[in-house]
Amino acid sequence: MIWLGIAIIPVILLVIAINIKRYGDVSNGTLITLMVICVIMFFSLLASEYIPPIAISDKKSTTYEITEFKKVISDNNEESYVYTTNKTEVHSARVEDKRDKRKDGAITSIDLANSNPSKLIVKEYECLRLVDFSMIKNHEYIFI
């Protein structure tokens, strides 16, 4: 959306230049049209920050056996999960907050079927971010 906003600015300047050349000055209708375009651009750019990435590809699932599992609550009440696979690999999972920048590989949701799960299903899928039209990978964690 940011690129769209940058692309529209030259179009607006071109419209102003054409109207000045044609009529000698900018008419009230042109100014109102430009203001409406600017307001629409502003709200679309603002909204694109809060629209989650759009899933493009099918989800790829991977299943892991869990040997140890622990739910951790931090000082600011954020929930995260610490789990061990194959008795050697210790991992931590936390859902990405909407205020966080959506990085590649963000965990977008965690489902917890019971308090002591034995399996973890990770679903990975590609998404399109509307802010900069980039492709990222998101993950859903399902503890069973």
Side-chain angles (χ1 to χ4, degrees), residues 1 3-4 9 12 14 18 23 27 30-32 34 36 44 55 67 73 89-90 98 102-103 106 109 125 129 132 139:
M1 285 304 208
W3 296 110
L4 181 64
I9 290 172
I12 291 172
L14 182 65
I18 290 171
Y23 301 112
S27 64
T30 303
L31 288 177
I32 292 172
L34 292 176
V36 168
S44 64
T67 55
I73 299 177
E89 301 176 22
V90 178
K98 288 194 185 286
R102 297 282 179 161
K103 299 181 283 286
S109 69
Y125 52 97
R129 282 184 55 196
D132 55 3
H139 296 89

Side-chain angles (χ1 to χ4, degrees), residues 2-61:
I2 293 171
W3 296 110
L4 181 64
I6 292 172
I8 289 177
I9 290 172
V11 172
I12 291 172
L13 293 175
L14 182 65
V15 168
I16 291 172
I18 290 171
N19 281 327
I20 289 174
K21 185 176 181 184
R22 184 182 291 165
Y23 301 112
D25 63 357
V26 178
S27 64
N28 286 339
T30 303
L31 288 177
I32 292 172
T33 303
L34 292 176
M35 286 176 27
V36 168
I37 289 172
C38 289
V39 167
I40 290 171
M41 268 182 23
F42 172 75
F43 283 114
S44 64
L45 291 173
L46 185 66
S48 69
E49 280 290 322
Y50 298 102
I51 296 173
I54 300 169
I56 300 295
S57 69
D58 292 334
K59 297 179 182 180
K60 301 173 192 170
S61 295

Side-chain angles (χ1 to χ4, degrees), residues 84-126:
T84 305
T85 58
N86 301 333
K87 295 187 181 182
T88 55
E89 301 176 22
V90 178
H91 304 277
S92 180
R94 175 180 74 82
V95 174
E96 297 292 328
D97 192 344
K98 288 194 185 286
R99 293 179 305 251
D100 293 344
K101 294 294 180 192
R102 297 282 179 161
K103 299 181 283 286
D104 197 24
I107 298 172
T108 56
S109 69
I110 295 178
D111 285 337
L112 187 60
N114 58 50
S115 60
N116 195 10
S118 61
K119 288 187 178 181
L120 166 65
I121 300 172
V122 179
K123 294 183 178 181
E124 176 184 302
Y125 52 97
E126 289 186 348

